[in-house]
Amino acid sequence: MKILITGGAGFIGSHVVRLFVTKYPNYQIFNLDKLTYAGNLANLTDIENSENYTFLKGDITDAAYINGIFSEYKFDAVIHLAAESHVDRSITDPLAFVYTNVIGTVNLLNTARQHWADNMKEHLFYHISTDEVYGSLGEEGLFTEETAYDPRSPYSASKASSDHFVRAYFHTYGLPVKLSNCSNNYGPNHFPEKLIPLAIYNIKNNRPVPVYGKGDNIRDWLYVLDHARAIDTIFHEGKLGETYNIGGINEWKNLDLIKMLCDVMDEKLGREAGESRKLITFVKDRAGHDMRYAIDASKLVNELGWNPSVTFEEGLSKTVDWYLQNTEWLDNVTSGNYQSYYEQQYEQR
Ligand code: NAD
Ligand code: DAU
């Protein structure tokens, strides 16, 4: 089987690519990535010479390029992760999110539909999405697959739009699709603009750890390898046309999470207990900041037998160890363009 994985040089995509390349030596895995600031081939050095792996540098919005690779490689399936993924960036530059997340997705759907027209049923388009499409929860309740869409940031609006297009291609053209909507991931290769890797980077370097608002927003955290395992399960066992919610059953208030991370870092860095907590700095809140996300993953658990395998304590410890051991990776991604974006964000607060 030939599988096109888009966004495979990014955070989650790199774990999905590695899982598929190593677990399925008889599959040919093609990783298509534009290598934006978030894409990094250093995430894949351990598998880059595998016989069943090919990297393709390209942009999912480039119709001629996408058509060309579908003609050349004749993919059986697509797992689509490529996206602009950071909410704060979507507030500064919404159009970049429309181009990649909406137009890029429709471009892939269109090309797949044309190339697979003669034997549509033998193919699969699997779209990776987010729980943010469901909006924001109050103190009670969980997002289920039936929760009405209510995206509230430019990022989640662009992902919701892409989800609707994927379903529209299923209903209108019979394109075989699957979707999954996942909660917040954390783990190795996570770009240090997102809360957990940013906090690790800042604590390590004795810089302020920015907490938006009062730090009482809640997220449901899942170790990235458990997301990759869920994607593997849904790709192979999920029903066509269906959506599966993926979550960690692991809700944390941002401030509590950051305090715990500070304590883990104190221990690993040999600092005095409580030292890193002094770096916690309350900053201006994110515009339109969603209060709470929490996923009901019972459909995936009951129908397909998936369960998270890594506890939050284990996952956080492994994640911190990875960042402390991979200082070159961290130094590389925190230099150049990223550094200037980061400094600019700080100035705005
Ligand atoms: P990421 O930002 O780390 O990686 C995105 C990848 O897509 C990068 O390698 C980037 O170079 C590539 N890319 C961006 N624009 C492209 C384009 N126009 N053409 C080709 N490649 C392009 O993102 P991530 O956190 O790994 O998220 C991957 C997917 O999972 C996204 O669709 C995101 O919406 C979804 N998701 C993420 C989370 C999370 O917590 N990070 C949770 C649920 C769902
Ligand atoms: O829920 C899934 C989503 O999770 C994914 O679809 C997104 O791609 C991913 O980026 C993530 O979105 P969040 O906005 O929840 O993640 P982020 O790490 O940016 O923020 C997590 C929480 O921490 C959120 O409430 C905002 C807050 N925060 C974030 C940063 C970067 C801070 O308090 N300080 C910060 O510096």
Side-chain angles (χ1 to χ4, degrees):
M1 172 157 29
K2 292 183 177 181
I3 307 176
L4 175 67
I5 299 181
T6 70
F11 167 45
I12 301 169
S14 60
H15 292 281
V16 175
V17 165
R18 177 175 300 98
L19 181 67
F20 274 71
V21 165
T22 54
K23 186 170 173 187
Y24 302 107
N26 54 330
Y27 292 178
Q28 285 296 319
I29 304 300
F30 296 82
N31 170 13
L32 164 64
D33 200 295
K34 184 182 174 182
L35 299 181
T36 67
Y37 79 95
N40 188 349
L41 290 178
N43 293 342
L44 291 164
T45 42
D46 56 325
I47 57 109
E48 68 188 3
N49 294 321
S50 304
E51 277 184 15
N52 63 337
Y53 173 72
T54 306
F55 175 68
L56 304 168
K57 185 171 186 303
D59 188 331
I60 58 168
T61 67
D62 182 340
Y65 175 79
I66 297 299
N67 185 50
I69 60 170
F70 267 77
S71 296
E72 186 172 351
Y73 298 110
K74 307 203 173 353
F75 307 119
D76 298 295
V78 173
I79 305 178
H80 176 38
L81 294 107
E84 287 292 341
S85 68
H86 191 39
V87 174
D88 292 332
R89 285 181 191 256
S90 82
I91 295 167
T92 324
D93 183 9
L95 267 181
F97 286 68
V98 176
Y99 289 129
T100 287
N101 299 0
V102 184
I103 295 173
T105 301
V106 178
N107 191 32
L108 284 168
L109 288 165
N110 236 4
T111 313
R113 173 171 84 92
Q114 284 158 10
H115 282 261
W116 297 348
D118 291 342
N119 51 355
M120 197 79 102
K121 291 204 166 81
E122 290 164 28
H123 296 90
L124 173 63
F125 191 102
Y126 177 12
H127 179 61
I128 308 303
S129 193
T130 171
D131 61 356
E132 299 199 12
V133 298
Y134 299 122
S136 183
L137 289 164
E139 280 178 21
E140 300 292 321
L142 301 170
F143 295 135
T144 74
E145 289 81 0
E146 275 70 49
T147 302
Y149 273 35
D150 182 22
R152 295 149 51 100
S153 73
Y155 164 69
S156 53
S158 70
K159 291 296 292 188
S161 172
S162 67
D163 292 11
H164 289 319
F165 271 106
V166 173
R167 292 193 185 100
Y169 271 67
F170 175 73
H171 291 291
T172 310
Y173 306 111
L175 189 77
V177 307
K178 297 178 186 178
L179 298 91
S180 55
N181 295 70
C182 189
S183 64
N184 286 61
N185 287 214
Y186 70 99
N189 302 348
H190 206 184
F191 196 82
E193 63 185 352
K194 310 280 167 60
L195 180 66
I196 290 183
L198 175 72
I200 294 173
Y201 174 73
N202 285 12
I203 294 167
K204 176 173 173 277
N205 293 298
N206 275 307
R207 299 171 69 143
V209 178
V211 173
Y212 297 168
K214 294 183 184 147
D216 48 12
N217 303 68
I218 293 173
R219 297 291 182 266
D220 171 4
W221 294 94
L222 179 70
Y223 193 61
V224 63
L225 281 170
D226 278 330
H227 189 186
R229 288 176 47 249
I231 289 173
D232 178 14
T233 303
I234 294 163
F235 179 84
H236 289 99
E237 317 282 344
K239 289 190 197 134
L240 288 182
E242 299 264 327
T243 296
Y244 296 86
N245 279 356
I246 310 170
I249 315 157
N250 178 39
E251 289 181 53
W252 282 83
K253 238 180 216 184
N254 290 340
L255 185 57
D256 294 339
L257 187 161
I258 291 301
K259 283 181 178 165
M260 172 161 149
L261 192 53
C262 286
D263 297 346
V264 172
M265 293 285 285
D266 279 346
E267 203 183 312
K268 304 232 184 231
L269 293 169
R271 291 183 184 167
E272 244 175 61
E275 204 179 322
S276 297
R277 286 191 185 203
K278 292 179 194 153
L279 298 168
I280 293 174
T281 307
F282 293 94
V283 299
K284 191 171 159 225
D285 209 352
R286 171 184 282 171
H289 197 170
D290 287 341
M291 180 48 75
R292 175 172 167 254
Y293 304 145
I295 279 277
D296 176 353
S298 54
K299 178 178 175 183
L300 176 60
V301 171
N302 295 335
E303 291 185 13
L304 305 186
W306 172 90
N307 266 298
S309 67
V310 178
T311 67
F312 196 44
E313 288 71 18
E314 274 168 357
L316 215 50
S317 173
K318 281 182 192 210
T319 303
V320 171
D321 287 343
W322 187 85
Y323 281 94
L324 295 180
Q325 283 156 16
N326 289 272
T327 46
E328 199 181 324
W329 185 95
L330 202 51
D331 289 344
N332 284 341
V333 302
T334 49
S335 60
N337 290 339
Y338 165 65
Q339 189 69 37
S340 54
Y341 172 81
Y342 175 86
E343 297 302 347
Q344 180 200 331
Q345 293 300 299
Y346 253 87
E347 277 166 26
Q348 283 174 4
R349 286 186 188 130

